[in-house]
Amino acid sequence: MRTLASLLLLLGLTAQISAQVQVDRPMVLNAAEAEHRRIQGLGPATAEDELITLGAARNATYHWASTGGTANAITLAMDPPCTGYATGLAVRFRAQAPAVGAVTVNVDGLGPKRLLRNDGLGIPFGQVRAGSVVEALYTDTAFILMDRAVEGCPAGFLRANDRLCVMRNDTLNMSIFNASSWCMDRGARLCTWDEYIHLCTVLVPGGQFLDHADNWEWIDDTHDHTHSAAQAGRWNCNSIRNLGALENANNHGSVRCCYHPR
């Protein structure tokens, strides 16, 4: 009976023959010379139980995915396709559009999973930009963003000082509860009264603080009024009032978030 070594040698010497060898015992490569302890000529892996080449491992070919879907509902297609979510699954892709807040990733039709930053919160402003390469690791029930946190002020924000950024424009019109959640879902929060006064003082003279003095804007302050919240900026920097914090259309205001760079 021919030994496995002689069979492999025969296959190696016969250039025109190709075959699939299956053995029911571990294959041990124990030649004294390193160049003889190799398996060469492997093609690309097409299934999850197949060997991959050094080149594919270095290039992370099997972690790269083509991107589709929408900005906040991202679909990914991997090659070969992923067969199931498992802790440790790593994906890399190029974002097609800016994503912020409640973002989901759906790999090969396996179902959408939340994309979170490493503290479990939603994706902050500016971290996933159009054209940026995103790396995420699946654990438990969600993908965790591995990219470094945003440095400086995200796009659409102005720098007031080294520790404070603010949205250039106010946006949307909603209750205090939804306004607070909207900012926090994006890694920011409503500005305090002290911050708002500072922003007005520093940014309004330069004409950078847009939509100022045209709407009441929510701030993170209550002024100790029961069941009410504070709004600022309707006519000038010193404009402030209290409004009922009940959830109804008569108690709405504009949203402008503050962001603290890391």
Side-chain angles (χ1 to χ4, degrees), residues 45-61:
T46 58
E48 292 185 351
D49 60 352
E50 295 182 359
L51 292 173
I52 64 173
T53 64
L54 175 60
R58 282 179 171 171
N59 296 332
T61 304

Side-chain angles (χ1 to χ4, degrees), residues 35-233:
E35 63 269 20
H36 294 159
R37 297 194 301 270
R38 297 184 298 179
I39 297 176
Q40 297 173 288
L42 288 177
T46 58
E48 292 185 351
D49 60 352
E50 295 182 359
L51 292 173
I52 64 173
T53 64
L54 175 60
R58 282 179 171 171
N59 296 332
T61 304
Y62 300 111
H63 296 292
W64 185 259
S66 56
T67 315
T70 62
N72 277 28
I74 300 167
T75 60
L76 300 180
M78 305 184 76
D79 184 22
C82 181
T83 60
Y85 293 122
T87 295
L89 172 65
V91 296
R92 298 183 182 94
F93 60 93
R94 188 179 299 278
Q96 294 184 332
V100 63
V103 181
T104 61
V105 173
N106 188 341
V107 179
D108 291 320
L110 296 172
K113 299 292 182 180
R114 280 294 304 272
L115 179 63
L116 305 171
R117 65 186 196 182
N118 57 16
D119 59 2
L121 297 179
I123 303 305
F125 289 102
Q127 189 151 7
V128 177
R129 304 176 300 279
S132 64
V133 175
V134 178
E135 181 178 21
L137 193 68
Y138 185 79
T139 180
D140 194 13
T141 60
F143 281 98
I144 305 301
L145 195 66
M146 304 301 291
D147 303 63
R148 190 169 63 179
V150 178
E151 295 182 0
C153 296
F157 280 70
L158 301 170
R159 179 178 290 280
N161 56 47
D162 290 341
R163 295 180 296 171
L164 180 63
C165 305
V166 64
M167 290 175 62
R168 182 186 301 270
N169 302 77
D170 62 4
T171 181
L172 305 176
N173 193 58
M174 59 181 70
S175 70
I176 179 64
F177 309 109
N178 290 328
S180 179
S181 295
W182 192 87
C183 288
M184 292 202 62
D185 284 344
R186 290 156 177 79
R189 61 170 177 74
L190 292 176
C191 306
T192 65
W193 171 240
D194 291 344
E195 289 171 340
Y196 197 88
I197 288 294
H198 176 71
L199 296 168
C200 279
T201 303
V202 172
L203 298 176
V204 168
Q208 304 174 78
F209 205 39
L210 303 182
D211 296 333
H212 171 69
D214 60 357
N215 292 302
W216 285 109
E217 301 177 15
W218 290 114
I219 58 174
D220 186 14
D221 210 320
T222 65
H223 283 195
D224 296 325
H225 286 234
T226 304
H227 302 305
S228 65
Q231 295 180 333

Side-chain angles (χ1 to χ4, degrees), residues 223-243:
H223 283 195
D224 296 325
H225 286 234
T226 304
H227 302 305
S228 65
Q231 295 180 333
R234 175 61 180 90
W235 292 287
N236 54 56
C237 289
N238 295 320
S239 300
I240 189 168
R241 73 172 185 177
N242 282 87
L243 192 66

